[in-house]
């Protein structure tokens, strides 16, 4: 663009433009830096903005998902409806577990956190929402649960075995006492 | 068939009073790259150079103001190079709303159709230094809003682009499948100004 096309703004206007541009650049860099999938949602649960990580995570291009209902991105519609109600009441929601749906319908367990935004009069104007992929920890948890289950079953089996041995031993002990008693009685009979 | 853009038309357009934010051109470039790649953008830049008003899209400062006529020239050059129908220009307008950084300043109004269009003039003023965009009629029961654009007659191609812009603004606050936006009165078709009907079901 030739400089001759540039507007003949006043110095003040140019200064404001530079400040806005600086702020925009800061926000853009910050969004780019965020290692988490983050989006901005309006009060009627329509997605208004997403960061690059969100776009990669969901497989949606920003322009495909901006303007869409948040519910489209989650497997359990009942849970997301509950979440939508909850964010109206709470300023911050942390670590709520839901199942995310990517563009190719892949289900990913996620932990979601959200923070309300309010205008200068305190009216609710939307919220930021971030996702954390908890697939790994879920897998680890499931593995751990299975191991615990297996160990508990092994232990149960061992306890059963011990109980059986104990029963046998106890039976043998009782038999011994009974026999000793019989011997005593026989000895008494012999003496008499 | 008449040329949709040539040097004379471009010169005429450049005489239009007012200025447009650089973000228009940034959004045009993003849309071209998405649809036609970097080569597509180069082709549009070459066309603009031929017209005598070169734009280096990537060097545009999206917060600075440029002559309003250049907004129409950019759209006309795009339409000419890719032979796009009006619908595609409308799509470009809608796309711009999704990617524009300026629109993020107004996210606080995006909670109802009434609020968004009530603040239409504030949003408009961030994009153009001329013209006024206001709600002329609104009936939420009958599900429509009529917006009026006053004192700004750029070019019919911008009327199509604005249809897309207004449609997208409505889609950002209405969770509905069927929303339409149509210009029902146009200065270039003998109207007094520009009126846009947004309807939803």
């Amino acid at each position: 663009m030739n400089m001759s096309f540039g507007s003949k703004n006043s110095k003040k206007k140019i200064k404001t433009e530079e400040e806005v541009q600086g702020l925009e650049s800061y926000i853009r860099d910050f969004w780019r830096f965020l290692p988490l999938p983050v989006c901005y949602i309006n009060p009627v649960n329509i997605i208004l903005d997403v960061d690059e990580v969100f776009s990669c995570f969901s497989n949606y291009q920003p322009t495909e998902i901006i303007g869409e209902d948040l519910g489209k991105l989650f497997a359990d519609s009942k849970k997301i409806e509950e979440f939508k109600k909850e964010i109206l009441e709470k300023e911050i929601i942390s670590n709520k577990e839901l199942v995310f749906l990517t563009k190719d319908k892949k289900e990913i367990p996620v932990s979601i956190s959200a923070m309300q935004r309010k205008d200068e009069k305190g009216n609710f104007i939307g919220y930021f929402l971030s996702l954390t992929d908890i697939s790994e920890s879920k897998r680890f948890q499931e593995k751990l649960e299975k191991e615990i289950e297996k160990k508990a079953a092994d232990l149960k089996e061992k306890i059963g075995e011990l109980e059986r041995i104990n029963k046998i031993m106890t039976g043998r002990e009782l038999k011994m006492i009974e026999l000793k008693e019989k011997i005593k009685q026989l000895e008494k009979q012999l003496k008499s | 068939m008449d040329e949709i853009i040539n040097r004379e038309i471009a010169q005429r357009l450049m005489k239009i009073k007012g200025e447009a934010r650089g973000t228009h051109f940034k959004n045009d470039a993003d849309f071209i790259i998405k649809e036609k790649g970097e080569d597509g953008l180069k082709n549009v830049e070459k066309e603009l150079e031929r017209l005598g008003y070169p734009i280096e899209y990537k060097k545009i400062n999206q917060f600075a103001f440029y002559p309003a006529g250049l907004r129409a020239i950019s759209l006309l050059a795009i339409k000419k190079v890719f032979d796009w129908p009006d619908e595609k220009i409308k799509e470009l307008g809608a796309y711009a709303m999704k990617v524009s950084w300026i629109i993020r300043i107004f996210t606080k109004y995006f909670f109802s159709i009434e609020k968004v269009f009530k603040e239409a003039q504030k949003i408009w003023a961030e994009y153009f230094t001329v013209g006024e965009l206001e709600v002329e009629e609104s009936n939420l029961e009958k599900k429509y809003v009529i917006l009026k654009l006053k004192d700004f007659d750029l070019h019919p191609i911008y009327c199509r682009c604005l249809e897309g812009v207004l449609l997208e603004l409505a889609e950002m606050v209405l969770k509905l499948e069927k929303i339409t936006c149509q210009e029902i009165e146009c200065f270039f078709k003998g109207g007094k100004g520009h009126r846009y009907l947004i309807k939803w079901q």
Side-chain angles (χ1 to χ4, degrees):
Chain A
M1 176 72 208
N2 285 344
M3 282 308 288
S4 58
F5 291 150
S7 63
K8 292 164 187 165
N9 297 318
S10 66
K11 276 184 185 171
K12 198 178 167 189
K13 202 170 157 191
I14 291 168
K15 193 171 172 273
T16 311
E17 270 169 22
E18 281 172 359
E19 283 167 358
V20 174
Q21 204 180 359
L23 196 61
E24 183 264 338
S25 156
Y26 175 81
I27 296 168
R28 192 190 287 268
D29 288 345
F30 185 69
W31 272 75
R32 206 174 283 163
F33 160 75
L34 279 176
L36 286 175
V38 178
C39 58
Y40 179 67
I41 319 288
N42 75 1
V44 286
N45 292 298
I46 291 174
I47 301 162
L48 293 186
D49 203 1
V50 297
D51 70 349
E52 282 177 28
V53 186
F54 190 97
S55 180
C56 293
F57 187 74
S58 65
N59 270 343
Y60 284 105
Q61 286 298 312
T63 48
E64 287 178 310
I65 199 66
I66 291 173
E68 294 292 331
D69 190 290
L70 179 70
K72 187 179 174 174
L73 297 172
F74 292 91
D76 191 335
S77 54
K78 206 175 157 191
K79 274 192 177 174
I80 198 70
E81 284 309 316
E82 282 168 13
F83 170 79
K84 287 171 181 176
K85 280 178 196 156
E86 206 178 330
I87 191 67
L88 289 172
E89 291 156 13
K90 291 182 184 169
E91 281 196 15
I92 290 178
I93 296 176
S94 303
N95 304 322
K96 203 171 180 66
E97 285 188 19
L98 285 171
V99 177
F100 187 83
L101 266 184
T102 64
K103 188 181 174 183
D104 40 344
K105 303 292 169 213
K106 188 181 156 198
E107 294 191 355
I108 304 173
V110 290
S111 164
I112 61 172
S113 296
M115 190 192 84
Q116 274 190 5
R117 273 189 80 213
K118 288 181 177 174
D119 67 9
E120 56 279 5
K121 288 176 188 161
N123 300 314
F124 175 57
I125 56 165
Y127 56 96
F128 284 108
L129 183 133
S130 76
L131 309 168
T132 310
D133 184 350
I134 52 167
S135 316
E136 275 301 311
S137 58
K138 275 273 172 200
R139 266 197 291 273
F140 183 69
Q141 190 184 334
E142 273 169 27
K143 197 180 153 196
L144 213 63
E145 276 170 3
K146 271 183 194 163
E147 269 177 32
I148 290 169
E149 241 172 63
K150 194 175 170 284
K151 295 263 185 223
D154 285 353
L155 203 64
K156 203 176 166 188
E157 200 181 311
K158 285 208 168 103
I159 290 170
E161 210 171 299
L162 270 173
E163 276 174 348
R164 269 198 312 278
I165 292 168
N166 196 32
K167 225 180 215 175
I168 293 166
M169 296 292 271
T170 313
R172 193 176 284 175
E173 201 70 25
L174 287 172
K175 197 77 188 166
M176 289 289 278
I177 293 167
E178 197 187 310
L179 285 171
K180 274 182 187 170
E181 199 62 35
K182 241 181 197 174
I183 290 167
K184 263 184 200 173
Q185 276 175 8
L186 284 172
E187 276 176 351
K188 257 186 196 174
Q189 275 175 11
L190 277 173
K191 277 181 190 171
S192 63
Chain B
M1 197 180 133
D2 292 339
E3 262 192 298
I4 61 164
I5 182 78
N6 56 33
R7 277 181 173 260
E8 290 71 42
I9 297 171
Q11 277 165 12
R12 243 187 358 254
L13 286 166
M14 286 301 281
K15 286 177 187 157
I16 290 172
K17 207 181 91 184
E19 291 172 327
R21 274 266 198 212
T23 190
H24 290 288
F25 309 104
K26 279 274 177 209
N27 299 337
D28 284 358
D30 285 346
F31 190 70
I32 296 166
I33 292 168
K34 179 176 93 73
E35 296 288 318
K36 298 285 180 183
E38 295 283 344
D39 287 343
L41 186 66
K42 276 182 199 149
N43 290 339
V44 174
E45 286 181 341
K46 275 182 204 158
E47 176 61 26
L48 287 159
E49 217 173 311
R50 270 195 292 273
L51 293 168
Y53 297 98
I55 300 176
E56 282 182 68
Y57 284 97
K58 290 190 176 169
K59 288 186 183 168
I60 288 276
N61 172 355
Q62 61 176 323
F63 292 99
F65 284 95
Y66 298 87
L70 208 58
R71 174 76 201 100
I73 294 171
S74 173
L75 288 174
L76 288 164
I78 293 166
K79 187 175 168 68
K80 184 181 173 182
V81 168
F82 305 122
D83 194 23
W84 277 350
D86 288 345
E87 268 310 303
K88 201 74 185 168
I89 299 299
K90 194 168 169 176
E91 200 186 308
L92 183 153
Y95 176 89
M97 282 300 98
K98 289 187 177 188
V99 297
S100 168
W101 269 86
I102 287 178
I103 205 70
R104 279 151 182 76
I105 299 169
F106 298 102
T107 51
K108 63 179 179 181
Y109 304 137
F110 284 77
F111 59 83
S112 75
I113 189 112
E114 285 166 289
K115 187 67 182 169
V116 164
F117 289 125
K118 195 180 160 198
E119 306 295 344
Q121 176 49 28
K122 276 189 194 166
I123 300 173
W124 177 263
E126 286 297 326
Y127 285 89
F128 286 101
T129 58
V130 284
E132 275 177 43
L133 185 66
E134 59 188 38
V135 175
E136 185 187 68
E137 197 182 325
S138 164
N139 192 325
L140 299 185
E141 266 179 36
K142 289 185 178 170
K143 298 177 179 174
Y144 72 84
V145 173
I146 296 174
L147 284 152
K148 192 176 181 181
L149 175 62
K150 292 192 297 186
D151 307 324
F152 188 55
D153 307 307
L154 187 58
H155 187 281
I157 196 161
Y158 187 71
C159 301
R160 304 289 75 76
C161 183
L162 189 56
E163 279 177 341
V165 167
L166 298 175
L167 177 67
E168 186 55 38
L169 285 180
E171 284 182 345
M172 280 176 164
V173 281
L174 292 170
K175 274 198 266 187
L176 299 161
E177 289 293 316
K178 192 139 176 80
I179 308 171
T180 57
C181 175
Q182 204 184 352
E183 191 182 34
I184 51 171
E185 184 183 344
C186 180
F187 171 83
F188 299 106
K189 291 176 184 164
K192 285 179 188 167
H194 306 266
R195 287 163 71 235
Y196 294 85
L197 170 68
I198 297 151
K199 280 200 298 186
W200 59 95
Q201 283 172 13

